[in-house]
Amino acid sequence: MKALACELPATLGLPLSRLSVADVARHAQRSGLVARISDSTVWRWLHEDAIRPWRHRCWIFARDPHFQAKAGRILDLYERRWQGQSLRKDEFVISTDEKTSIQARLRMHPSLPTEPGKSMRVEHEYERGGAWAYMAALDVHRAKVFGRCEATTGIAPFERLVDQVMSQPPYVNARRVFWVMDNGSSHRGDASVQRLMQAHPRLVPVHAPVHASWLNQIEIYFSIVQRKVLTPNDFPGLEAIARRLASFERYFESIAHPFEWKFTRTDLNALIARMRDRWAQSLKLAA
């Protein structure tokens, strides 16, 4: 019964996207696996091994043939290592990305604050007041944040962020500044690498594998911004968003410490090994 619940519905010839307890019990009876069985018995058996075929999660499988090498470089930088050598005191690691479409939602009624027994109340209807693209860079070992609001993403806006960071100490005189970034159109490819290094000889671009934003620590900061600054979205205009984001950067620096990053190269190697085993097993089953 547990093996049956771990099959995809299409494999069982069922026109379903997911299996419920009742679906598993019904198919077991129709296929002759059992003569009769109750839903509660099936639920109890599945619960023993935490099998929940009615639940699902989205997933992106690694398709970059150099995923392990590219991810390993970033994990080394988080441990202040590069190509087997420890980073020096005048070498820094910056994590950067863009948070797009931050809207200014002008509520049709002013928001009401929390009261005893009542939560904050935010009007459901709103008018759109435009949107920002928020560019940000995080010094992962100093919990220092640099950000700017731009009308749109692109090469020029991103390079303005780079100039903003690299033009001030300690980065302007650093030995090397490693920039961890994804493969967004603003900064991907060899042309981007050459452009950045020509403008800033001390800058070392480090691109993550495709679909590996979870390796980029700036995403943690963006999640904090989303929860603490932008939700609920209630702004009188774009300038109010820009002011709050700038103020939050300074507030964050006053209370934050570097993120305690625990995923290492050892964990990465173990993950890749498990993925290869699963892939080999799936190919064997398909054959």
Side-chain angles (χ1 to χ4, degrees):
M1 193 68 69
K2 293 177 181 179
L4 176 64
C6 290
E7 293 285 349
L8 293 173
T11 305
L12 301 174
L14 297 174
L16 304 171
S17 59
R18 293 173 291 168
L19 295 173
S20 66
V21 168
D23 294 326
V24 174
R26 188 178 301 109
H27 187 77
Q29 294 176 79
R30 288 180 176 177
S31 63
L33 181 62
V34 294
R36 189 173 182 180
I37 193 169
S38 68
D39 293 354
S40 59
T41 298
V42 174
W43 182 90
R44 188 174 65 253
W45 288 350
L46 300 185
H47 183 70
E48 289 175 356
D49 287 339
I51 299 173
R52 303 179 182 91
W54 50 88
R55 297 180 60 180
H56 79 284
R57 59 180 294 191
C58 292
W59 190 260
I60 295 180
F61 293 89
R63 296 188 293 276
D64 191 325
H66 306 293
F67 181 93
Q68 193 167 5
K70 292 179 180 178
R73 302 185 305 173
I74 296 174
L75 298 177
D76 287 347
L77 285 173
Y78 291 163
E79 294 190 278
R80 293 196 59 81
R81 297 186 63 82
W82 179 253
Q83 297 179 346
Q85 301 293 323
S86 298
L87 298 186
R88 301 187 184 184
K89 292 183 178 180
D90 59 349
E91 294 181 306
F92 304 92
V93 180
I94 300 291
S95 172
T96 187
D97 202 3
E98 304 143 356
K99 185 173 178 60
T100 60
S101 191
I102 299 178
Q103 297 182 20
R105 296 181 177 178
L106 288 64
R107 302 291 170 173
M108 303 303 292
H109 187 283
S111 294
L112 300 180
T114 299
E115 299 177 9
K118 291 184 179 180
S119 60
M120 178 194 299
R121 282 166 289 176
V122 181
E123 171 63 43
H124 175 71
E125 293 188 351
Y126 59 87
E127 293 181 357
R128 298 180 185 271
W132 283 125
Y134 180 50
M135 315 275 183
L138 169 72
D139 186 325
V140 301
H141 298 121
R142 299 171 66 226
K144 177 73 175 175
V145 180
F146 307 87
R148 62 185 302 114
C149 289
E150 296 277 358
T152 184
T153 60
I155 294 174
F158 177 72
E159 291 185 350
R160 284 194 285 271
L161 173 66
V162 176
D163 293 341
Q164 175 183 335
V165 177
M166 297 298 292
S167 62
Q168 57 184 287
Y171 314 103
V172 67
N173 297 316
R175 185 184 304 270
R176 286 183 297 186
V177 183
F178 298 89
W179 281 68
V180 177
M181 59 189 75
D182 63 13
N183 294 274
S185 58
S186 302
H187 41 67
R188 71 180 172 211
D190 293 337
S192 174
V193 171
Q194 295 174 9
R195 191 165 53 246
L196 291 171
M197 295 184 68
Q198 183 176 0
H200 305 281
R202 295 180 175 85
L203 190 152
V204 182
V206 182
H207 286 90
V210 175
H211 299 317
S213 291
W214 57 275
L215 287 170
N216 201 342
Q217 288 197 27
I218 192 65
E219 300 297 345
I220 304 175
Y221 176 73
F222 280 161
S223 71
I224 296 172
V225 167
Q226 184 63 44
R227 288 180 283 114
K228 304 290 286 185
V229 182
L230 303 175
T231 305
N233 187 312
D234 183 9
F235 294 97
L238 289 178
E239 291 305 316
I241 295 179
R243 287 194 300 269
R244 187 183 295 181
L245 287 170
S247 296
F248 181 76
E249 291 168 12
R250 308 290 77 80
Y251 175 77
F252 177 81
E253 291 173 349
S254 71
I255 64 172
H257 300 281
F259 295 128
E260 189 178 354
W261 188 270
K262 296 183 177 181
F263 191 83
T264 66
R265 256 192 188 269
T266 301
D267 300 313
L268 173 66
N269 295 338
L271 173 64
I272 295 298
R274 291 196 301 272
M275 291 172 62
R276 286 173 177 166
D277 290 342
R278 290 175 183 173
W279 180 249
Q281 184 178 5
S282 65
L283 289 178
K284 183 177 180 181
L285 292 174

